[in-house]
Amino acid sequence: SSPTFDFGAASLTEPIGNQPYDNGHLFGGFDWAWRYESGDWKLFYFDIPSGTAAPGKAMVVDTRWVTVPTDVDTWIFARSTDFYSSLDPTFFGPQSVELVGGSNDTYIGSGRFLFNTATGGPREVVAGEIRDGLGFIALLLTRSRPHLSRW
């Protein structure tokens, strides 16, 4: 409920939890020879209070993990009005979302991505326009060591 928040593991050394869906860890258990969306995704939703957004304000997301060549792409999606939500918000909801910032898309086909981060190492820093309302941050494990990645 604010433009400043933390998500994921408390630290890069935090052990894996005992729950089936651990929000602090990404796992590379997928088929590299398949499709774009076959990686491990984590979505973190936020609600920016009305009146927070202003021209020139941006959301900065700093994603960190342990090892290279593991790569975690980070995308920011924010409030967007669309035809359907304008037409009938009681049925379609008050808004949609659209991509406002994020990692370079290095998809090369068949479920494969090139390693590319803004820092050159196990850290991605991206920014996007801050908008009032609901949005989400999407993390995708695009390259991985054979085991897992803490982020």
Side-chain angles (χ1 to χ4, degrees), residues 43-95:
L43 303 178
F44 296 92
Y45 294 87
F46 56 83
D47 190 2
I48 303 297
S50 197
T52 302
K57 280 191 172 182
M59 175 179 282
V60 177
V61 180
D62 185 346
T63 308
R64 299 171 191 221
W65 57 95
V66 178
T67 58
V68 171
T70 300
D71 191 351
V72 179
D73 284 349
T74 304
W75 292 291
I76 305 168
F77 290 82
R79 179 187 185 102
S80 173
T81 303
D82 65 16
F83 173 77
Y84 297 103
S85 61
S86 299
L87 181 67
D88 188 357
T90 58
F91 184 79
F92 294 103
Q95 69 169 61

Side-chain angles (χ1 to χ4, degrees), residues 6 120 129:
D6 293 322
E129 177 188 352

